[in-house]
Amino acid sequence: MTPIGWIGLGNMGTPMSSRLLSAGYPVSVYNRSPERTVALREAGATVASSPAALLTQADVVFLMVSDDQAVRELFTGPEGLLQAQATGKLLINMSTVSPGVSREMAVLCQAQGHTYLDAPVSGSVKQAESGQLVIMVGGEESGFAQAQPLFEHLGKLARYLGPTGNGNVAKLALNTLLGFQAQGLAEALLFAQQHQLQTNDLMELINNSALGSVFIKLKGEAVQGENYAAAFALKLLAKDLRLAQAEGLATPLAETVVQTFQQAEPALGKRM
């Protein structure tokens, strides 16, 4: 089976790489914090000493890291992927980053005979564990065809969207809507509470109306149970909204949501 490399073993990367390992693929992993590799090594993965070393061991490499800077370091740093004496690899960046950094990395990869895809995902840890993510892909269509059998282990839908960066644009659009829905639900519940309506009653009405959705149901249940543990760090959504702004998002509602999350970030951004 195709040797797989995985870089970035956070809350999402660990269950996703575990699914490929469980499916029988030989998996090599690298993480900037080595302690995060322990569980996968015990499950049978090989631990690489650097991104460059990992690329020599794998035909397909996935990345899932936090931001543009981390992507650039992993590709172009002293021991980065592009320092490896290798060619003809498929590199799939599943990070939520700017379309611009994907276009930069795609050009650098092409110069060394590699194929680059931007393939961010929609979903959280539960969906990563169960292989129910939604994957949005930009880049070479031939690369998408090569990656499709792997995507089937990771998500319920993988959609090819066209040139490099389009997957990133789609993810920024989805996360913008996520910000709208999170703030909208919170404001609706606060309004109801100001008028002595019970949260449980309002959530039953919402969930049985055309406004109901999986996200609204899950977040409503969290509010009802006073469970405010973060499934997705606020600082990351604030970052995604800034990226969307940089790509031209400037509608009145978007400006309000961006402002809200930026104001919340200093106090609440790192909670997980």
Side-chain angles (χ1 to χ4, degrees), residues 233-235 265-272:
L234 185 148
K235 67 177 182 178
E265 187 175 7
L268 303 173
K270 295 182 179 180
R271 285 190 181 181
M272 278 300 293

Side-chain angles (χ1 to χ4, degrees), residues 165-252:
N166 280 13
N168 296 133
V169 172
K171 179 60 188 294
L172 295 179
L174 263 66
N175 275 16
T176 298
L177 182 58
L178 175 67
F180 292 168
Q181 290 196 338
Q183 183 157 340
L185 176 63
E187 291 187 13
L189 292 177
L190 285 171
F191 174 72
Q193 289 170 5
Q194 288 167 3
H195 291 273
Q196 287 72 55
L197 288 178
Q198 295 297 312
T199 297
N200 290 355
D201 291 338
L202 186 64
M203 285 308 309
E204 183 178 10
L205 294 171
I206 291 172
N207 289 330
N208 283 280
S209 74
L211 300 172
S213 68
V214 173
F215 176 81
I216 294 293
K217 183 175 185 294
L218 290 174
K219 293 307 175 186
E221 289 174 351
V223 173
Q224 288 169 283
E226 297 188 358
N227 173 17
Y228 298 106
F232 177 50
L234 185 148
K235 67 177 182 178
L236 296 178
L237 184 53
K239 176 263 296 181
D240 297 345
L241 291 168
R242 287 193 293 270
L243 291 176
Q245 263 197 327
E247 295 299 317
L249 180 70
T251 60

Side-chain angles (χ1 to χ4, degrees), residues 110-168:
Q110 186 178 33
Q112 292 191 203
H114 304 308
T115 300
Y116 175 100
L117 297 176
D118 50 292
V121 305
S122 177
S124 193
V125 175
K126 182 177 180 180
Q127 289 75 36
E129 291 172 343
S130 60
Q132 293 296 299
L133 296 167
V134 173
I135 306 168
M136 48 213 87
V137 186
E140 296 285 344
E141 192 164 8
S142 59
F144 174 75
Q146 182 182 347
Q148 181 70 10
L150 301 173
F151 290 152
E152 289 175 357
H153 293 288
L154 304 176
K156 63 181 179 181
L157 173 67
R159 177 58 57 87
Y160 176 69
L161 298 171
T164 301
N166 280 13
N168 296 133

Side-chain angles (χ1 to χ4, degrees), residues 49-69:
S49 60
S50 68
L54 182 141
L55 190 63
T56 65
Q57 299 169 14
D59 292 337
V60 179
V61 174
F62 290 88
L63 299 88
M64 185 170 259
V65 294
S66 58
D67 54 31
D68 287 19
Q69 180 180 351

